[in-house]
C-alpha cells in the first residue's frame, strides 16, 4: 500500500538516509518545483531516475560524442522486437565498451540525482516493492516498464535500468549539498535555465579556463538557438563545470542575452530549413517581447506548417490583441477571422468578432458570425448562450423578423416559453399597427407553434386573414384601374402622334402649293390632288376630316365658278 507524506514533516534527505540504513527497495514518486519525478531505490541505493524532459541515456551518449546518432539508429534497428536495451547492442557492435556505457550511466544518474535533491521536493509517495528480483547484470528490460503511469512521473529509461546501477545515497547527498551552494552563486548571474545567450563577435576566450576545450565547445554553441539548459547538456558530461564556464562568460561580458529581434532573425533563417528548431525560438522571443508582430506572424506560420491549428489560432488571437490595443480594429478583425478559421470551435474568438462587428456597424457580418455562434452553442445544448447572442443581434436590428423568431426559439430551448410568447406578441401587434400583415402572420403562427392553445394568437390570425383579403381586393381594383388608364393614355398618345404627323404633312403640302403658285395660276385640279393625297396618307384623323377637307371644298368651289 502506498505511503504519502510531505517534506515539511519529514526531510527528503532524512528519508533517503533511512532507506540506505535499512537497505530498502522501493519506488519514490516526488512532487518538485519543475514537476513530478520518480526515483527507483534498490537495496538502499539509487538505481534509476525519471522526470519530465530528462534526456535518455543513448541521447546523452550522442551528445557527449561517445557514439554517433547513426550508430544508435543502427543499434535500434538491430534490436527490432528484442527486449534487450539499445545500449547492449551498442556494446556488441563495438561502438563503445561496457565500461564506458556504465560510466556514462553512472555520471548521468549522479548529475541528475544531485540536482534533484539539491532543489528538493514538496511531497512524496512511497511504494515498497521488495526490490528487483532480476540479477544485477540483467539487460532484458521489458518495454512495459517504460510505459508511463498516468498518476506518476515519466517512466524510467530502459537503458539506465538495464545497467542495474547502484549509487550510494550518502555520497550523493554530499554532492547535492555542494551543488546547492554552487547553484546559489550561479543563479545570481544566470537566473534561469531557459535563458538564451549569444556569443559576442570578435571575442577571444582567455586561456586560463580550467577546461579550455569545454569552454571553447560551450562558447561555440551559444548562437542563440539553444537555452542554457540545452547548451550545457550538449557540451559537457559535467554540467557543473559547464555552468562554471558559462558563469565566467557572463561575468566577463563574453556573451549577451539574445533579444527578441535576435531570436526573430534566427527563427526566420530556420523557418524553411528546420521549422521544428525555429518554433521554440519564436516562443522564447515572445516571452521576452509578447507584442512582437514579426514573431507572432512567424509563430502562426510555423504552427500551421507543423499541423497545430490550435497553436496557430492562439497566435492569431495574440496578434488581434496587439492590433486592438493600437486601435487598428480592421487588422484585429482579420487576425480573429484567421484564428477562427484554424479553430472553428473557439467560441471566445467568435464572440470577439461579433463585438467588433456590432461596434463598427457591420450588421451583415455580425449576423453571419452571430448565427454561427448560435449553431455552435446549440450543438452541446448551451441554449442560454445562444439566446444571449440573439438578444444582442435583435437589439442591433430590431426590425429583423428572422432574428426575432430565432430569439423566441432560443427562449423556448432555454425553458422560458412565456418570455418568448410575450416578446413575439408585442412585436406582432406593432407589425399589425404598421399594416405589415404578412410578417405579423408569421409572428402569430410562431406563437401557436410554441403554444397551440394561445387564443389571442389564433384570434389575431383570423383578423389578419380578413385584412389580407380586403387588401387583396383593393389591390385588384387598383390594378384594373391602372390598366384601363394606361390603355386609354396609350391610345390618346397614339392619336395625338398621328394628328401631329398629319398637321405637319398638311402644312408642308400647303407650303408646296403656295410655292408653285397653283392657285394664282388657276391650277385648282392639281392643288386638289395634292390635298387629297394628304387625306389618303392620314385617314381617320381630324386633320384629314376637317382641315384637309375644308381646303379641298374651297378649291372645288373656285373650280366651279371658273367653269361657269
Amino acid at each position: 500500500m502506498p505511503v504519502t507524506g510531505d517534506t515539511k514533516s519529514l526531510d527528503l534527505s532524512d528519508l533517503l538516509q533511512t532507506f540506505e540504513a535499512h537497505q530498502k527497495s522501493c519506488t519514490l514518486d516526488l512532487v518538485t518545483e519543475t514537476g513530478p519525478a520518480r526515483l527507483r531505490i534498490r537495496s538502499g541505493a539509487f538505481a534509476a531516475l525519471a522526470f519530465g524532459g530528462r534526456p535518455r541515456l543513448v541521447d546523452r551518449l550522442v551528445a557527449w560524442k561517445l557514439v554517433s546518432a547513426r550508430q544508435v539508429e543502427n543499434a535500434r534497428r538491430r534490436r527490432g522486437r528484442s527486449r534487450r536495451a539499445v545500449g547492449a547492442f551498442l556494446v556488441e557492435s563495438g561502438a563503445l565498451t561496457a565500461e564506458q556505457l556504465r560510466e556514462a550511466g553512472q555520471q548521468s544518474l549522479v548529475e541528475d540525482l544531485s540536482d534533484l535533491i539539491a532543489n528538493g521536493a514538496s511531497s512524496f509517495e512511497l511504494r515498497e516493492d521488495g526490490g528487483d528480483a532480476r540479477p544485477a547484470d540483467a539487460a532484458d528490460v521489458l518495454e512495459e516498464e517504460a510505459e508511463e503511469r498516468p498518476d506518476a512521473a515519466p517512466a524510467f529509461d530502459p537503458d539506465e535500468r538495464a545497467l542495474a546501477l547502484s549509487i550510494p545515497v550518502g555520497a550523493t547527498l554530499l554532492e547535492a549539498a555542494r551543488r546547492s551552494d554552487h547553484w546559489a552563486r550561479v543563479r545570481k548571474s544566470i537566473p534561469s535555465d531557459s535563458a538564451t545567450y549569444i556569443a559576442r563577435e570578435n571575442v577571444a576566450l582567455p586561456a586560463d579556463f580550467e577546461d579550455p576545450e569545454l569552454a571553447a565547445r560551450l562558447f561555440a554553441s551559444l548562437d542563440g538557438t539553444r537555452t542554457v539548459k540545452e547548451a550545457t547538456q550538449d557540451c559537457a558530461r559535467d554540467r557543473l563545470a559547464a555552468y562554471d564556464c558559462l558563469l565566467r562568460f557572463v561575468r566577463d561580458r563574453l556573451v549577451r542575452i539574445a533579444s527578441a529581434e535576435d531570436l526573430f532573425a534566427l527563427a526566420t533563417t530556420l523557418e524553411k530549413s528546420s521549422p521544428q528548431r525555429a518554433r521554440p525560438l519564436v516562443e522564447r522571443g515572445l516571452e521576452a517581447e509578447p507584442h512582437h508582430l514579426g514573431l507572432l506572424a512567424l509563430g502562426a506560420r510555423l504552427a500551421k506548417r507543423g499541423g497545430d491549428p490550435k497553436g496557430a489560432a492562439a497566435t492569431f488571437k495574440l496578434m488581434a490583441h496587439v492590433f486592438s490595443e493600437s486601435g487598428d480594429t480592421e487588422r484585429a478583425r482579420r487576425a480573429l477571422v484567421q484564428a477562427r478559421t484554424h479553430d472553428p470551435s473557439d467560441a471566445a474568438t467568435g464572440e470577439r468578432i461579433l463585438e467588433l462587428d456590432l461596434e463598427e456597424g457591420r450588421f451583415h457580418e455580425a449576423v453571419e458570425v452571430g448565427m454561427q455562434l448560435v449553431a455552435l452553442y446549440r450543438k452541446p445544448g448551451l441554449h442560454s448562450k445562444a439566446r444571449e447572442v440573439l438578444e444582442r443581434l435583435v437589439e442591433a436590428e430590431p426590425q429583423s423578423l428572422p432574428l426575432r423568431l430565432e430569439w423566441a426559439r432560443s427562449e423556448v430551448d432555454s425553458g422560458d416559453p412565456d418570455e418568448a410568447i410575450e416578446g413575439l406578441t408585442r412585436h406582432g401587434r406593432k407589425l399589425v399597427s404598421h399594416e405589415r400583415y404578412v410578417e405579423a402572420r408569421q409572428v402569430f403562427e410562431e406563437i401557436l407553434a410554441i403554444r397551440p392553445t394561445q387564443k389571442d394568437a389564433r384570434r389575431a390570425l383570423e383578423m389578419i386573414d380578413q385584412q389580407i383579403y380586403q387588401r387583396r381586393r383593393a389591390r385588384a381594383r387598383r390594378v384594373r384601374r391602372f390598366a384601363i388608364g394606361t390603355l386609354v393614355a396609350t391610345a390618346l398618345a397614339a392619336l395625338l402622334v398621328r394628328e401631329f404627323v398629319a398637321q405637319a404633312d398638311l402644312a408642308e403640302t400647303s407650303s408646296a402649293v403656295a410655292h408653285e403658285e397653283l392657285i394664282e395660276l388657276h391650277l385648282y385640279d392639281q392643288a386638289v390632288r395634292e390635298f387629297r393625297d394628304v387625306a389618303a396618307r392620314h385617314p381617320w384623323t381630324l386633320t384629314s376630316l376637317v382641315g384637309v377637307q375644308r381646303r379641298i371644298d374651297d378649291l372645288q368651289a373656285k373650280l366651279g365658278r371658273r367653269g361657269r
Side-chain angles (χ1 to χ4, degrees), residues 154-231:
F156 295 113
D157 182 354
D159 283 282
E160 186 173 77
R161 289 290 309 278
L163 294 174
L165 300 174
S166 182
I167 307 299
V169 171
T172 307
L173 292 177
L174 290 175
E175 178 63 17
R178 185 178 75 86
R179 284 173 180 256
S180 182
D181 295 337
H182 184 272
W183 286 126
R185 294 195 304 272
V186 168
R187 291 306 178 206
K188 290 180 180 179
S189 299
I190 308 172
S192 172
D193 281 347
S194 62
T196 305
Y197 287 94
I198 295 179
R200 296 185 183 274
E201 297 179 357
N202 303 319
V203 169
L205 289 178
D208 57 347
F209 276 96
E210 184 176 343
D211 188 344
E213 183 180 350
L214 170 61
R217 196 162 58 246
L218 180 61
F219 190 76
S221 72
L222 298 176
D223 57 0
T225 64
R226 297 175 179 84
T227 62
V228 168
K229 182 177 181 179
E230 292 167 346

Side-chain angles (χ1 to χ4, degrees), residues 265-283:
L266 287 166
T268 302
T269 304
L270 295 170
E271 178 182 3
K272 292 183 179 179
S273 61
S274 184
Q276 68 277 8
R277 291 181 61 200
R279 198 168 178 186
L281 298 182
V282 171
E283 293 171 356

